[in-house]
Amino acid sequence: MKKPILIGITGGTGSGKSTIADEIYNSFSEDCIAMIQQDAYYKDQSHLTMEERTKTNYDHPRAFDNDLLIDHLHCLMNGEPIRKPIYDFTIHNRSEEKINVEPRDIIIVEGILVLEDERIRDLLDIKVYVDTDADIRILRRLVRDINERGRDVDSVVEQYLSVVRPMHMQFIEPTKRYADIIVPEGGHNKVAIDILVSKIKDTLK
């Protein structure tokens, strides 16, 4: 089997990296592309109480089970299907359900710390950093956490100032230097998306 193309797409919370990943994904037929979200690989927290789980720092590298993610990427590269975990933020733990992911010619790996782990970087053929101003990112995160995760404004702002922003400066922003391509303005940058899609198609040929 031909080695698939692995594309890493990263950037800070609310940067638009998921939008870019979705735009690329939707530019190809489903039988040739797969999406792996790093968010699905937060560590299992079944051994912790609910109170302990709510204190999890989701923006720190140690929050991720990168060993499992890397193992799954190797499986897909070797033509083997995987059972991707599902993380439920309402219970701060993995769901009992999993998603079947079949090997594909193109694999997108998307998440805030995709480029932080050297082992993951070494597997990627194309590394993309989505660079968006902090004020736009916090507003997007605010809307997402309220609408999708049942949070209130005060808790989102407090978490951003005490955890998210410091973690971004310490761990996420520095990974920009590993990127092959830096995309400003996130999912609104249609030119960058078109260039990425064209590059992937050329590589497939």
Side-chain angles (χ1 to χ4, degrees):
M1 177 180 174
K2 184 175 68 174
K3 178 186 177 297
I5 302 168
L6 266 65
I7 305 157
I9 301 178
T10 191
T13 181
S15 61
K17 60 187 177 301
S18 297
T19 301
I20 284 186
D22 288 340
E23 289 281 348
I24 294 173
Y25 182 90
N26 292 328
S27 298
F28 296 88
S29 61
E30 291 187 359
D31 61 352
C32 78
I33 192 168
M35 178 89 77
I36 301 293
Q37 298 89 352
Q38 191 181 26
D39 278 4
Y41 290 83
Y42 281 117
K43 290 179 179 176
D44 181 83
Q45 302 199 108
S46 300
H47 59 292
L48 300 178
T49 65
M50 187 61 170
E51 183 179 356
E52 290 171 326
R53 294 179 199 171
T54 59
K55 298 176 182 177
T56 298
N57 180 353
Y58 288 111
D59 294 83
H60 195 284
R62 286 198 298 267
F64 293 97
D65 187 352
N66 280 346
D67 290 341
L68 178 61
L69 172 57
I70 291 165
D71 180 61
H72 279 184
L73 292 177
H74 279 296
C75 286
L76 292 171
M77 292 169 67
N78 292 328
E80 303 167 9
I82 63 167
R83 296 272 288 163
K84 183 175 70 173
I86 299 173
Y87 199 86
D88 186 344
F89 286 95
T90 63
I91 60 172
H92 299 279
N93 203 14
R94 286 181 187 168
S95 168
E96 293 183 1
E97 299 179 13
K98 295 183 179 180
I99 299 175
N100 288 323
V101 179
E102 297 292 329
R104 295 289 187 253
D105 293 331
I106 307 164
I107 300 169
I108 296 175
V109 188
E110 177 265 320
I112 59 171
L113 289 167
V114 164
L115 299 184
E116 191 273 336
D117 192 315
E118 183 180 5
R119 298 172 299 167
I120 298 176
R121 290 200 305 269
D122 288 345
L123 296 177
L124 301 173
D125 299 293
I126 302 173
K127 298 180 285 293
V128 180
Y129 187 98
V130 183
D131 198 15
T132 302
D133 290 342
D135 56 345
I136 296 175
R137 293 191 292 103
I138 178 55
L139 289 173
R140 288 175 178 169
R141 183 181 179 110
L142 187 68
V143 171
R144 182 202 67 186
D145 283 4
I146 291 173
N147 292 340
E148 299 179 15
R149 300 181 181 176
R151 305 277 302 281
D152 59 63
V153 174
D154 288 343
S155 71
V156 176
V157 172
E158 192 279 330
Q159 184 188 38
Y160 180 83
L161 293 176
S162 63
V163 177
V164 178
R165 186 179 185 279
M167 294 298 98
H168 176 86
M169 300 306 294
Q170 184 176 354
F171 296 112
I172 301 171
E173 182 79 14
T175 67
K176 188 188 299 185
R177 67 181 183 269
Y178 300 120
D180 301 310
I181 301 170
I182 296 175
V183 178
E185 299 182 31
H188 297 293
N189 194 326
K190 300 300 182 184
V191 173
I193 293 170
D194 289 344
I195 290 172
L196 284 167
V197 170
S198 296
K199 172 63 177 175
I200 296 166
K201 288 180 178 179
D202 287 342
T203 305
L204 278 177
K205 294 177 182 178

